[in-house]
Amino acid sequence: MRKLRIIFLNRRILLIAAVLIIAILALPVILFIEISTSDTFTDPKSGVIVIDPGHGGIDGGTSRDGVLEKEINLDIAKKLKSILMERGYKIIMTREEDVSLESLDNSRKSRHLRDLTARANIINNSNAQLFLSIHVNCNIKKPATDGAIVFFCKKYEQNRTLALCIQRVLNNMVVDGKKRNVHDPVQAKYYVLNYTNIPGVIVETGFISNEEERQKLAKGTFRQELAKSIAKGIEQYLDESSKVSTPAS
């Protein structure tokens, strides 16, 4: 009986060893699949673009002297939607009214995270070619700072290219005969950028903390020019197959 028990244990050991060897051999393949799919985007050529006006409802975003970010974001987004639709693109808006989106998601305890998750879900379910999240910047410590800044994450190479295209056009805007402050696009780790599966950027259209720029952001004419510039950058991104140069600082 002892001899039979020893043979049984050896078979178990051999079986476990075989399973471990197979798992070790398969691990590089699994890792390769995860890596190769996580940083690759296949453009569906759908003609769909998602526009995400930041904040809304209870979340007003940043504000100064009665000027609210959420209102500026929505107005620029609507103007951008009209421009792009006229050019034949299909537009999905995460919101078209003064509302927050936390009621669309119940996976998070934080109201803020529910709102962001709902936006990411809309983007991920859109079959879009790209998305843009529209915001207004603020720098209380440096109120002289102005201009637009485009944020992107490194998940897809297309994110950087899209950011460069839009940033370049925004840098070249001339307002009241004056050229805007020039910025480079900035790599960042914002929620909407990290948890979306299509290329996209956050466009901070101007600084509400800058008195001169705040007055401009309050005007519909300036918002229209911002929307036109963003649309131009989008079309350059979609038209260009090669990488664009980084805007000069």
Side-chain angles (χ1 to χ4, degrees):
M1 292 297 290
R2 288 181 183 176
K3 191 172 183 180
L4 289 173
R5 187 176 181 182
I6 292 170
I7 292 172
F8 176 73
L9 288 173
N10 283 341
R11 286 178 178 174
R12 286 186 64 188
I13 292 170
L14 287 172
L15 180 61
I16 293 170
V19 171
L20 288 173
I21 291 170
I22 292 170
I24 291 169
L25 290 173
L27 184 60
V29 176
I30 294 169
L31 290 174
F32 175 77
I33 291 171
E34 289 181 353
I35 293 170
S36 64
T37 56
S38 64
D39 59 2
T40 302
F41 172 74
T42 302
D43 191 340
K45 307 294 184 185
S46 60
V48 176
I49 296 172
V50 180
I51 303 175
D52 172 42
H55 307 285
I58 193 174
D59 180 7
T62 189
S63 64
R64 196 79 171 168
D65 295 340
V67 181
L68 298 178
E69 179 187 0
K70 66 175 183 177
E71 295 175 356
I72 298 171
N73 296 343
L74 183 57
D75 189 47
I76 294 173
K78 286 183 174 181
K79 293 181 187 318
L80 178 59
K81 174 187 176 182
S82 296
I83 294 168
L84 292 173
M85 287 184 69
E86 286 176 2
R87 298 178 186 179
Y89 298 99
K90 302 171 186 176
I91 306 302
I92 295 174
M93 299 273 284
T94 58
R95 70 178 181 97
E96 296 199 63
E97 298 177 350
D98 182 18
V99 295
S100 58
L101 306 181
E102 74 268 15
S103 63
L104 300 179
D105 179 81
N106 59 8
S107 64
R108 307 277 186 156
K109 290 183 179 180
S110 163
R111 183 207 65 77
H112 181 60
L113 282 179
R114 291 200 305 273
D115 176 78
L116 292 173
T117 302
R119 295 172 193 270
N121 289 340
I122 292 170
I123 294 166
N124 288 335
N125 293 325
S126 66
N127 192 41
Q129 290 183 264
L130 61 94
F131 77 89
L132 303 103
S133 190
I134 307 296
H135 286 262
V136 172
N137 220 329
C138 183
N139 191 338
I140 299 298
K141 293 182 179 179
K142 296 181 179 180
T145 306
D146 66 350
I149 301 178
V150 184
F151 292 88
F152 69 99
C153 76
K154 63 179 182 179
K155 183 175 183 180
Y156 301 125
E157 178 60 27
Q158 290 96 330
N159 291 336
R160 181 176 181 274
T161 304
L162 176 60
L164 287 165
C165 286
I166 296 174
Q167 185 74 67
R168 180 174 59 187
V169 180
L170 289 169
N171 282 347
N172 289 329
M173 280 183 65
V174 177
V175 184
D176 298 330
K178 182 181 177 182
K179 195 172 181 179
R180 299 187 80 196
N181 228 359
V182 173
H183 294 280
D184 289 329
V186 177
Q187 184 175 310
K189 294 183 178 180
Y190 292 116
Y191 189 97
V192 171
L193 298 178
N194 289 343
Y195 291 92
T196 44
N197 298 327
I198 67 172
V201 294
I202 292 175
V203 183
E204 298 277 0
T205 55
F207 280 81
I208 203 170
S209 47
N210 181 293
E211 183 177 356
E212 183 180 352
E213 194 152 76
R214 180 170 64 254
Q215 292 174 1
K216 292 175 182 175
L217 285 166
K219 296 178 180 178
T221 52
F222 182 60
R223 297 175 187 177
Q224 182 70 21
E225 290 305 310
L226 285 168
K228 287 180 180 178
S229 295
I230 295 169
K232 184 177 179 180
I234 291 169
E235 292 202 300
Q236 286 184 3
Y237 163 77
L238 293 173
D239 290 341
E240 294 177 10
S241 57
S242 59
K243 294 181 181 179
V244 296
S245 299
T246 305
S249 298

